[in-house]
Structure formats: structure tokens, C-alpha cells
Amino acid sequence: TLRSRLLRISETVLPDAERPALRPLGGSAASKPYTSTQVTQLRGWAAGQSTPSRRTNADALLALGLGAGLTGKEILSLTTDEVVIDDDGVVIHIGGDRAREVPLLAEWEVPMVQHLDKIRTGYVFRQGRESENHNLITDFVSRGPARIPVTTRRMHATWIIYHLIAGTPLVPLLRAAGLSAPDALDRFLTYVPVSPITDHQALRNAILTAPRPPTRPHDCGDARG
């Protein structure tokens, strides 16, 4: 980066006393999640779109962003073949470098199923197009603006926070989010409310339900095997 190049140059040409003291760059801050009131407002925005097609596409955008935490690029590339509906709910299959399966939050299943029933095949969001232009979401929102900004980054943050507050197990959450390490969640923790009583109960129950470590050889299986 330019920052690192300038630092290396300063180390070479400047005396020690005149070298700048640059702090390491930290990770980018998490986008502010939507509040429950704002999510209700977004639902109202989707319901108030001018045509049936825009209404169902707005529902699909919210379902994929708030209900699955997908990025804008993932939303634009998703096709109906990559959405599986069965008795266990709706599961979205993401390909590419961050290939994974993302179960849709139950509260967003009905809008998604209704949308898919209408479009049948093709892209899930904004059907009939031939490209995945990254401005398509911005263009769609600008043609029927909401009272609050509609962004995939904030929807993704809201999805992460929802799971953190709900106590979703860490490993499944990392897999569904396409993250390789829990450090990536650190920037979201500032938005998780502190609830000491609930937290204490969760920790106590986890201890009570944790598997006992084996104390005898046969607890680990047949020693002869």
C-alpha cells in the first residue's frame, strides 16, 4: 500500500528522530446493524413498492440480506437452482471462493418461497437480466427509495448480530458467514447488548450439558481396535 511504501522510504531517508510514528492500521469497522424498528420500516418499504414485481423483488432483497447475510455480489449472482426448499426450511447454496450453505432465517422463508413461486427460474433478484452489474441493487433501491438507506452491508451486519444475540453456535455461524476465523466477528461485538443474567445462565447450562471427559479406557472405545 502507499502507506507502507511511505513508511519504508522514511526509514531510509530520514534520521531516526524525524521518522513518523505511524500506528498499525486496524480492521474496518462493522456497518451499523438495523434496529428492530428499522427492519419493520424496511418491510413496509418492500410492501409499498409500486408494482407486484418490485414488491416481490424487494422482499427477496431483504430476505437474502437480512435473512441470510449475503453480500451484494452474492445476491446478484444467486439463481433459483441454488435455493433448496424442503421440510427443514430454505437453504441457499453459495459457490465460488466462499462456497457454503446458508439456512435462511425462519421469519424470511415465506417471502422467499412466495417470490420463487412467481419467478420459477433464473436470477432470484431482478429477473430477466443478462448481467450481474454491481449497481443493480443501488439502482433498484433508488427507483423506490426507503426512509432509511437500504444497504447490503448493514443487512449483513444485522444478520450477524441477530445470530450473536440468539446464541447461534460459533462454528456453524462461521461456516454460514463464509468466515475462516472467529476474529472476523470481533468488530460486531460492540453491537451485542450485555445481558449478565442471560449470559450467566447460558454459561452454566453449557457446563451442565458439556460431555464428560473419558475417565476409563473403555470410554474411548475398544482398546484392542
Side-chain angles (χ1 to χ4, degrees), residues 53 56-57 60 80 115 119 121-129:
S53 175
T56 59
N57 271 285
T80 55
H115 178 66
I119 63 175
T121 60
Y123 286 113
V124 173
F125 177 72
R126 299 197 74 173
Q127 306 72 44
R129 55 188 167 91

Side-chain angles (χ1 to χ4, degrees), residues 152-203:
T152 55
R153 288 178 60 86
R154 290 191 68 181
M155 287 193 282
H156 173 76
T158 306
W159 177 79
I160 290 285
I161 297 301
Y162 184 100
H163 280 290
L164 291 177
I165 294 175
T168 300
L170 178 61
V171 173
L173 176 57
L174 290 176
R175 289 173 180 165
L179 301 174
S180 58
D183 294 356
L185 297 176
D186 289 350
R187 59 200 178 103
F188 295 99
L189 296 181
T190 185
Y191 297 112
V192 178
V194 177
S195 178
I197 296 177
T198 302
D199 291 346
H200 290 172
Q201 291 174 343
L203 289 169

Side-chain angles (χ1 to χ4, degrees), residues 58-80:
D59 281 337
L61 176 61
L62 297 183
L64 295 173
L66 294 169
L70 302 191
T71 66
K73 182 178 179 181
E74 290 168 344
I75 291 173
L76 290 173
S77 64
L78 189 69
T79 65
T80 55

Side-chain angles (χ1 to χ4, degrees), residues 4-222:
S4 63
R5 291 182 183 181
L6 290 172
L7 187 58
R8 298 290 83 77
I9 293 172
S10 70
E11 290 173 348
T12 302
V13 303
L14 295 177
D16 291 347
E18 297 180 14
R19 292 178 185 174
L22 298 180
R23 293 180 299 174
L25 289 174
S28 60
S31 295
K32 186 176 182 180
Y34 293 111
T35 65
S36 57
T37 299
Q38 289 173 328
V39 171
T40 300
Q41 292 175 340
L42 291 177
R43 288 180 182 271
W45 163 76
Q49 292 301 299
S50 57
T51 66
S53 175
R54 283 192 58 84
R55 286 193 288 273
T56 59
N57 271 285
D59 281 337
L61 176 61
L62 297 183
L64 295 173
L66 294 169
L70 302 191
T71 66
K73 182 178 179 181
E74 290 168 344
I75 291 173
L76 290 173
S77 64
L78 189 69
T79 65
T80 55
D81 294 337
E82 296 167 317
V83 183
V84 176
I85 303 172
D86 56 25
D87 293 339
D88 293 326
V90 179
V91 177
I92 298 168
H93 295 258
I94 302 297
D97 295 337
R98 300 173 63 201
R100 64 196 189 278
E101 296 181 356
V102 187
L104 195 68
L105 288 171
E107 64 183 281
W108 294 100
E109 289 177 351
V110 171
M112 178 56 65
V113 171
Q114 291 176 340
H115 178 66
L116 293 175
D117 284 343
K118 290 181 174 66
I119 63 175
R120 299 297 180 183
T121 60
Y123 286 113
V124 173
F125 177 72
R126 299 197 74 173
Q127 306 72 44
R129 55 188 167 91
E130 298 180 355
S131 70
E132 299 171 11
N133 187 314
H134 67 280
N135 289 321
L136 284 173
I137 294 177
T138 301
D139 175 70
F140 177 85
V141 173
S142 68
R143 292 173 183 270
R147 293 174 56 189
I148 53 177
V150 182
T151 71
T152 55
R153 288 178 60 86
R154 290 191 68 181
M155 287 193 282
H156 173 76
T158 306
W159 177 79
I160 290 285
I161 297 301
Y162 184 100
H163 280 290
L164 291 177
I165 294 175
T168 300
L170 178 61
V171 173
L173 176 57
L174 290 176
R175 289 173 180 165
L179 301 174
S180 58
D183 294 356
L185 297 176
D186 289 350
R187 59 200 178 103
F188 295 99
L189 296 181
T190 185
Y191 297 112
V192 178
V194 177
S195 178
I197 296 177
T198 302
D199 291 346
H200 290 172
Q201 291 174 343
L203 289 169
R204 180 173 182 271
N205 290 338
I207 293 171
L208 288 174
T209 58
R212 282 191 306 112
T215 57
R216 296 186 299 275
H218 67 267
D219 288 335
C220 298
D222 190 343

